[in-house]
Amino acid sequence: MATVSVSKGVFSFKRSKANKRKEAASTTLDYWTECDEDTRDRSYKNYVKCWQMVTNILHDLQSSVHAKVFEDLVHFIKNARKNCSIKASENHIESMQGQNDIPTACLVTGVNMPDHEAIFESLVRLLADGVTPHIAQLHSRDCNTLRSAMHKMITQLMGQNDLVDLDDEVMIGPSIKRRQINMTVLTSWYKECTDVLTQEKNSSKLRGSTQKATILCNDETCKAVTSPRKAVASPRKAVASPHKAVASPRKAVASPRKTVASPRKAVASPHKAVTSQFKAVASPLKAMASPHKAMSSSLMAIASPHKTVGSSCKEMGSPSIAMKSFSNNGSPQKKIKLSKETSLPTEDDHQPLVVILEDVESFPMNVLHDLILICSEHHCDLPFVFVFGVATTPAAVHRSLSQNVSACIAMETFQAEPSTHFLNHVIEKVVMSDEVPFHIGGRPFKLLLDIFLYNDLSVKNFIKGLKLCMMQHFMNNSSAFLCCPAPERASVVRAMTPAQLDIIRKLPSFRSYVESCPPKEQAALLLEEKVCKATIRRLLNKLDCWYDCFCCLVKVVHALTSSLPQAPLGRQVREVLTTCLSHELVETEEFKEADKMLRLMAREELLPIVTNIIGILIEWVEKDENLLHLHDELSLMLGRLNSLDQLDQVNDNSITEEMQISIQSSDRFHLKEKLLEIAKKKYKKPNAYESLRSEVLQLLINAFEQLLKPVNKQPLHEVLFFDSSSMVKRHLVGMPRAALTTALSNPHHYLQCECCQLEDLSSVVPTLPDVSVAYKLHLECGRLINLYDWLQAFISVTEPEEDTSSKRTIDQKLQARFAQAVSELQFLGFVKPTRRKTDHVARLTWGGC
Amino acid sequence: MGSRTSAGDTIELPPLQEMDEEVVDIFYKPTELLGESPLKGSSVFGFCTPKKKWGMLEKAESVKKKYGSPSTPKTPKSSLKQYPSTPTTPKRPSTDSKSGFTTPRSTRRLSGVVQEVRTPYSFRKKVKQRINKIVFKEDSSSSDEEDDDDDDDDSSYSLSEPEDESKENIDFQEECIKTPGKTPKRTPLKHSKILSGTPGKKPTRVLEKGGRGRKIKDVEMVGKADDYFTSNGDTGKVVTSDHTLSRLETPRLSPEALQSILSSVATSHQREREALLEEHMHMFPRWMTFLCEGFSVFLYGLGSKKQLISKFQQEYLAQFDHIVVNGFFPSLTLKNLLNNITEDIIDHTGSFHSIQEQLEFIQGFYTKSSAESLFIIIHNLDGPMLRGEKSQSAIAHLASIPHVHILASIDHINAPLIFDSSRMSHYNALWCDATTLAPYSEETSFENSLLVQQSGSLALSSLIHVFRSLTPNAKGIFLLLAQHQLDQKDNSNYIGLSFNDMYQRCRELFLVNSDLTLRAQLTEFRDHKLIRSKKGLDGIENLVIPLDSNILHDFINQQESDKLS
């Protein structure tokens, strides 16, 4: 078991086959140490059930929350190709340029990086279901070089097809496969794929393409030859049967373009025109550096060895030439149009190749450039569609791409829902749900929200926190065995052992409940098992109902106060929920503030709010009597609010009368008194709307007062609610540095010894651990520390009796201890050796830490 | 309309207040995350230590005074704890302090250190400030507020500082490191804050502890980064004494000696440390639960956690496949780690093209539901070879695989900087405070400590080795250069012996006959890295031996003794 070595850093321990455990460790039950076995089992089962429920809910949410943007995306991907061709038929010149543009969806996902994985996962699932089987997902971490990026992309695109995958596995090992992978293979594979898929009747064409594919696959050494051969072959074919050339213009277009890759060589020796496709792929930038030159020269390369190439082919060969020859030649326009129309139906059957780049911003720039350029080169053969995951803004993509690259992509932006939106759903469906028996209390909920809002905005982390809370609840709380789904509760309560019953009886909230009961019942509750069990069941059910009602009212409070200026209770349901969970709402300052403002609210504002509240309540009326009552009363008042106009008029008149009376008074003192009196009267006599408004508010406040009590006032709340934040905070929010500095400056905090109690943090006592003494001394220094002085100071602290300054020799033990302390500080990162001065170290922290 | 305004009157909202409210929007405050008042100071990042020239020695001395033998009774208390009992005007104490505090360095040891400098300026300044403060407090009769508000203190001193400084010698200007008023009251305040940082937290689980009074509380930390600029803003030169370790008989211990001495030294607080360890061991089942539930566990805190983790490994992981990685090992590579998984654990024979491919293979292996768990223990996830971007993302990737569980320890103060948010979510880590206060003996054994003999001894031995193989003339040339360099060791502007000088001297001693032979010799020295040549400002080549003067001195002494014998 020794893991100390000067020559090895990694040690592996394989489990010996002999002591095979009974089961693969999927259960953590063995490590739950609390309570007796039965209770533990039950708690664990409850935990597993609860977590399963939550994961199911989350899973559903995950796909539904982004449904809108996904729908748009899928639509875009489906139509990307079509749009391209439609555009092509509308405007031919543009179409020739437009062919290079790869349709690109820019999915703006927000800065909550941890959540993105899940988003893309569900996107891929969605695409694989309905749109295309050819999907490649690229991460920046896999794509440090173009080679690896291409390899990754092509294998993923091809790997989706089982047939090809199987063949590859059988025929050639992964190493050969790896070398072989390039765009040509992909092209031919894709052709084969679509040919098989569309069941094209043109058998000769099929044969041709498959033939080519086999050449490519088998004859890897002659790869250099295959591509030029192909380049030669297709124009010939085009000339031999012009009809065919028109029917498959893409092929004709493809061949000269492929030679674009190495144009100079092509000019020099046409036979080596495409020496190796891979090489060409590896350096597309070079080739693209002078695209015009490349285009024309490539055309020459084809034109010179094979004079038979027709002019029509030439025009289709490269768009730039086509444009140039547009004015000169009369016929090409018609021909292109013809070709487009004939090829359209087949294109519809082509499934797009979707390449998803999850984190575009962190891709190496040159890799991204080359990838896009290569794909755009082959775009006419392979219907690529890019999906860029962008965390910041689409502008970031434009900024990072150079002009010639961004010219190759036609970008459209899609905005994913912000993570707060997702969070709201999670809170609505998980935290405020009545399905999951486990509920989270005010303080931990606030903590999780704080972490969400102030650290990373990541729902994934929020859920992690929620899981931790749930684990802590079921692990540490012995009463959690009762926290099961409501339908099972009856049987669980019935099966409770006396020991378990005792656990429940010991709960503070249950004890206070018992104390509030009449004495007779008290005795029964404490002594009779049956009565107690029945009460527990009743209380738990009541607690469930209460929480439902509570959540409903939280929404009511939110509807009531969220539109107020400055929203004292917060604009989100979650903020209201936090407040309500831990405090009595009516007592809070925030609510009083809100109440003040509500009492000034105009009718036009109040009406929609009340309607809104009734809308919320109506979903819950069947479940709770209190809410039903509230709903009915509110509906009545709404009716009265709607028919208020005439009464208002009357009140106005009376006020003007009073005003007139007051003006008649001549004495200043009297006038003042009168005015005060009027003011009082006015206060006493609000108009009909005002009285109605205060009636409505009073009704609501009464309901809040009655039902929105904080969780810890409910009996048996310990069973269902988790309400301790410190445990969770300790694990979620690590404070490594604070722990280090505390241990160094006040070791007593950890050691709890008699000797090291410090009256003040900066003081030093000799009994402190060496590293702590050295640390405290080093705090007194500037950026450089003289080792000799440090050593002397260290000695005078640790051994005050000794006197060594005059001597040249010092105790070796002390020196060794000091050396150890300093190297520990160096290891921790407080100091580092420096060459600025002999025997000095540099301090790496500043201030008092 | 009238009725509405009247209702407004009844609720008294002064117009001024309303205006304020419009400006101040109500924020959602992270009270649970940061505590009730987010900006409460703490000693962790606070700028509470004024940089004084002799601060360290003062501190040491004060301790000595407190705990030391009463051998220095005649020492007038060196001013630190004493203030003038009567409040005086701000002018007088400053003059008093100048003349009065000549800082009698009582202890004999320190007298050697401090004799060059009499009362350090910063020290006097501090005393002055203290007196000022007392006066100021009397004047401003609002002592309570001052204690609470550090900024007030600072401002009051910055007011009084300039006028004092103008009267000071110009010499002191260069070392004007700003000293914020360090009041003795401030620190206890913080102390209490730290200790009572977690008022509402009670341990949910009571453990039986071996003689431990109470459960360790959580530590709180809130930082102030601005202080960095305060302390590094004025780039005055750093003032430290010129002492070197060569004043000692044995400036550096050899690694072996160090180890043997340390093993003989009894560590302090043995009992408490064991109790601490015991307490952490009670957390083992919890760690195991976390690991099995798909979290990673990160252990932090002062002290080597290797022993603790090894205990955990022995008790809980014996039945599982697991690997142990010593992150502090200087020649650890990511490839090592991955190869250990693929070759030793998975028993895969075959090579991989890239780390990515290997990772994917591992991922493929462990995502199968039938796969058995693999535990990876990493001592020092922040070790020098694991800090890099690549290895971190690879390990994070490993951690995100379902059946792979990672338990890691971190020690470096800046370690959290290597985890970004997406990496952190891959790790899915839970933090655990595992302060053991155990010495980092194994972890630091690979480190180049300044206090341990290494480069020096090596250089000397290699120097001697090369020197022995030289011809007598070449030896002479080298000794000439060495002697010259030693003669000049006190000259801080010494840039080396110029080639022409060298040639002249060598000729005089009949060591060379032409400059070509000298050049040939020098080339040989250069090849063995015995000398280094630098072009000076005037373009002349200067020759230096790149060694410490002490080592050189030793070398020459040795040569001379060899010659004699």
Side-chain angles (χ1 to χ4, degrees), chain A residues 3-4 6-15 21 28 31-32 34 47 114 117 141-142 152 178 443 446-447 449-450 453-454 464 467 471 476 566 683 687 690 725-727 729-731 734-740 742 749-753 755-756 760 762 764-767 779-781 784 786 788-792 796 800 802-805 808 812 815 820 823-824 827-829 837 839-841 843 846 848-849, chain B residues 3 10 21 28-33 43-46 49 51-52 56 59-60 63-64 67 69 108-109 187 201 204-205 212 214 217-219 221 227-228 240-245 247-253 262 269 272 276 285-286 288-290 292-293 300 306 313 319 321-326 329 332 340 344-345 353 356 360 372 380 411-414 425-426 428-431 433 435 439-440 442 447-448 450:
Chain A
T3 54
V4 188
V6 287
S7 59
K8 225 173 117 184
V10 188
F11 308 85
S12 42
F13 301 90
K14 201 162 164 56
R15 178 171 66 88
R21 281 160 302 109
T28 56
Y31 312 112
W32 290 38
E34 311 287 324
Y47 162 68
E117 224 163 283
R141 59 167 189 266
D142 305 328
K152 192 104 188 149
R178 189 181 170 79
R443 292 191 65 197
K446 177 93 168 71
L447 176 72
L449 271 187
D450 285 353
L453 290 174
Y454 283 81
K464 167 189 165 188
K467 182 175 181 181
M471 264 168 77
N476 295 340
Q566 293 161 38
Y683 176 60
N687 65 11
E690 278 162 1
S725 70
S726 65
M727 256 324 216
K729 186 180 176 185
R730 203 176 303 161
H731 289 309
M735 294 199 172
R737 188 155 179 178
L740 265 181
T742 312
H749 182 81
Y750 286 101
L751 288 171
Q752 314 268 311
C753 54
C755 48
C756 299
D760 131 30
S762 57
V764 187
V765 291
T767 55
L779 284 185
E780 301 293 323
C781 294
L784 288 180
N786 185 319
Y788 177 82
D789 292 349
W790 199 2
L791 173 62
Q792 291 297 346
S796 59
E802 206 154 322
D803 186 11
T804 52
S805 63
R808 267 174 68 81
Q812 295 244 317
Q815 198 181 344
Q820 179 64 21
S823 59
E824 279 178 18
F827 178 71
L828 294 172
K837 213 168 169 186
D839 287 335
H840 274 66
V841 287
R843 226 187 120 179
W846 71 90
C849 59
Chain B
S3 65
T10 57
E21 275 173 0
Y28 177 82
K29 293 184 193 70
T31 48
E32 196 63 43
L33 185 62
S43 65
V44 175
F45 284 122
T49 316
K51 298 294 156 285
K52 314 174 282 288
M56 188 162 70
K59 177 156 261 184
V63 173
K64 189 181 169 86
Y67 296 93
S69 59
R108 273 161 289 154
R109 171 169 343 112
T187 18
K201 288 163 194 167
T204 39
R205 216 159 63 106
R212 295 176 62 78
R214 58 210 158 96
K217 283 177 254 151
D218 288 354
V219 285
M221 171 174 76
D227 296 336
Y228 173 78
T240 52
S241 69
D242 294 328
H243 305 140
T244 57
L245 287 175
R247 283 172 163 236
L248 301 173
E249 184 98 303
T250 50
R252 287 171 175 82
L253 298 164
L262 281 181
H269 300 98
E272 284 86 357
L276 205 57
R286 176 147 311 168
M288 201 62 194
T289 317
F290 289 158
C292 292
E293 287 292 334
Y300 63 84
K306 195 153 192 297
Q313 179 200 351
Q319 305 198 359
D321 290 338
H322 61 279
I323 64 174
V324 178
V325 182
N326 287 344
F329 185 66
L332 177 78
N340 259 280
D344 295 356
I345 305 285
H353 281 283
Q356 284 311 323
E360 264 159 42
E372 288 177 7
N380 284 104
D411 284 300
H412 199 278
I413 44 168
N414 295 326
S425 85
H426 275 138
N428 199 13
L430 297 179
W431 299 87
D433 188 344
T435 303
Y440 288 103
E442 203 180 310
E447 204 168 60
N448 299 336
L450 274 179

Side-chain angles (χ1 to χ4, degrees), chain A residues 242-254:
Chain A
H243 171 72
K244 209 191 263 171
V246 172
S248 61
R250 284 190 180 278
K251 213 197 267 170
V253 168

